[in-house]
């Protein structure tokens, strides 16, 4: 539902990474204009559509790009991929999703990304269109699965930020600070990505806390994640800020069952202001509790 409301903001040009500072967006209210629900296990171009985790507008081609985080053979047999689509909406209604094409994501060696349990598996989470080059930048959250009696294969896979061409072929990789390396202790890493309007930065927000930064949110207390800015020319991290995650919104049923809360997407309104989408989930509770925050890092401490 919130994604539908955000679509109109994304299409207004506030997050294209190439605009001037006078395109800063002020958000005073949001209004839901509608939703489209794709059928479960919808088939398109020989693939099963699902696990859509990111969306951005490709203005040069008048289409949207949707990233799928399908990474298990249980979900489908197809390799990790993205879709292009046309969306029909105006200020009053959101009426149609028309899928146009499917593109396989390619590793640096040109091969398709494998799926679980292959130790090279990717976990696609966020994507932005570079409106100067036409390329896409996307992030993988990484993976941590420890060996057990039922699962003898351990996977400890680092997250990454990579740039690809619209045909899915690899262009380059950003350089990550060592703190983002996955470990057996686990890390909740990259989840959302935004391009700032004029400073040439890619800003990545994490889904949760690094294990060295403290415990995850509970129903009584929040947590802290890291919001990291990368220079889009060099691919190097240039700044980092502490982001306060809200508490889990609803207790689980039964008490003590799994709960989670954290950021899932970020959208730039200016070089320092962003919208951050948080979702809270608790076992035994129908649906998610979704909140949208506006944040400003202008006076935040750089903790990189």
């Amino acid at each position: 539902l919130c994604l539908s409301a955000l679509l109109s903001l994304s299409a207004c040009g506030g997050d294209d990474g190439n605009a001037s500072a006078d395109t800063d967006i002020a958000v005073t209210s949001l209004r839901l204009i509608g939703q489209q629900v794709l059928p479960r296990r919808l088939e398109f171009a020989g693939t099963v559509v699902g696990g859509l985790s990111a969306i951005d507008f490709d203005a040069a081609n008048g289409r949207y790009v949707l990233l799928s985080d399908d990474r298990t053979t249980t979900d489908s047999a197809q390799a990790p991929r993205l879709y292009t689509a046309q969306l029909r909406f105006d200020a009053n209604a959101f009426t149609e999703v028309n899928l146009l094409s499917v593109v396989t994501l390619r590793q640096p060696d040109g091969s398709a990304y494998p799926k679980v349990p292959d130790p090279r598996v990717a976990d696609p989470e966020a994507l932005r269109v570079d409106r100067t080059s036409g390329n896409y930048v996307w992030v993988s959250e990484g993976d941590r699965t420890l060996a057990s009696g039922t699962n003898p294969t351990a996977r400890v896979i680092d997250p990454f930020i990579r740039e690809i061409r619209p045909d899915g072929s690899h262009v380059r990789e950003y350089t990550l600070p060592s703190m983002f390396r996955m470990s057996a202790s686990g890390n909740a890493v990259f989840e959302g990505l935004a391009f700032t309007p004029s400073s040439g930065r890619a800003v990545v927000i994490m889904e949760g806390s690094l294990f060295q930064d403290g415990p995850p949110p509970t129903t009584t207390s929040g947590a802290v994640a890291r919001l990291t800015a990368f220079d889009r020319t060099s691919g190097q991290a240039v700044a980092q800020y502490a982001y306060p995650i809200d508490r889990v919104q609803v207790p689980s049923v039964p008490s003590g069952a799994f709960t989670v809360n954290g950021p899932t997407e970020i959208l730039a309104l200016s070089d320092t202001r962003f919208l951050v989408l948080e979702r809270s989930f608790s076992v035994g509770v129908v649906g998610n509790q979704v909140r949208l925050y506006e944040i400003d890092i202008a006076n935040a401490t750089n903790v990189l």
Side-chain angles (χ1 to χ4, degrees):
L1 296 179
C2 283
L3 177 60
S4 299
L6 282 171
L7 287 174
S8 57
L9 288 177
S10 181
C12 286
D15 192 42
D16 62 5
N18 304 286
S20 60
D22 60 7
T23 60
D24 291 0
I25 295 174
V27 178
T28 57
S29 65
L30 290 174
R31 178 172 55 88
L32 179 65
I33 59 174
Q35 67 171 341
Q36 291 291 306
V37 179
L38 301 182
R40 175 171 169 77
R41 302 196 67 79
L42 170 69
E43 293 189 6
F44 174 78
T47 70
V48 176
V49 180
L52 301 179
S53 61
I55 183 170
D56 200 18
F57 185 54
D58 181 354
N61 294 295
R63 64 190 184 186
Y64 284 84
V65 182
L66 298 86
L67 186 66
S68 171
D69 69 354
D70 170 12
R71 62 195 184 100
T72 72
T73 54
T74 302
D75 294 327
S76 80
Q78 292 84 42
R81 58 203 175 275
L82 58 84
Y83 296 89
T84 64
Q86 289 180 333
L87 307 183
R88 296 188 183 277
F89 63 92
D90 56 27
N92 300 307
F94 177 24
T95 57
E96 184 182 12
V97 177
N98 180 26
L99 295 173
L100 301 175
S101 66
V102 58
V103 177
T104 299
L105 299 172
R106 300 287 176 182
Q107 299 184 85
D109 64 5
S111 63
Y113 283 90
K115 306 194 77 171
V116 172
D118 193 293
R120 299 168 299 160
V121 66
D123 186 2
E125 292 293 349
L127 176 146
R128 292 295 172 195
V129 178
D130 185 325
R131 300 188 185 181
T132 297
S133 68
N135 291 339
Y136 308 151
V137 176
W138 66 287
V139 305
S140 172
E141 188 178 13
D143 187 58
R144 167 191 172 269
T145 302
L146 301 184
S148 66
T150 58
N151 177 38
T153 304
R155 294 189 305 276
V156 179
I157 303 169
D158 288 336
F160 59 73
I161 306 171
R162 289 179 177 170
E163 182 176 339
I164 58 173
R165 300 177 184 89
D167 65 2
S169 59
H170 180 80
V171 175
R172 63 169 177 151
E173 185 161 357
Y174 284 37
T175 302
L176 302 188
S178 60
M179 69 186 72
F180 291 130
R181 291 174 183 158
M182 195 65 69
S183 79
S185 299
N187 271 337
V189 200
F190 301 155
E191 191 75 17
L193 171 67
F195 288 166
T196 56
S198 65
S199 67
R201 292 184 173 185
V203 177
V204 179
I205 196 164
M206 296 167 47
E207 185 178 18
S209 301
L210 296 179
F211 67 87
Q212 64 264 38
D213 290 340
T218 67
T219 55
T220 58
S221 62
V224 62
R226 297 175 185 246
L227 186 154
T228 307
F230 292 82
D231 178 84
R232 289 175 58 200
T233 299
S234 67
Q236 300 279 344
V238 292
Q240 189 175 85
Y241 308 97
Y243 173 82
I245 302 173
D246 207 347
R247 63 178 179 83
V248 173
Q249 298 299 315
V250 180
S252 63
V253 180
S255 178
F258 176 78
T259 62
V260 67
N261 186 45
T264 62
E265 192 53 280
I266 183 170
L267 185 72
L269 302 177
S270 74
D271 284 349
T272 64
R273 294 184 302 109
F274 303 85
L275 292 180
V276 177
L277 190 71
E278 285 191 21
R279 62 86 186 89
S280 176
F281 169 78
S282 301
V283 166
V285 178
V286 175
N288 295 285
Q289 296 74 51
V290 179
R291 293 186 172 193
L292 191 66
Y293 297 88
E294 180 176 342
I295 68 169
D296 192 339
I297 61 173
N299 297 314
T301 301
N302 182 352
V303 298
L304 183 62

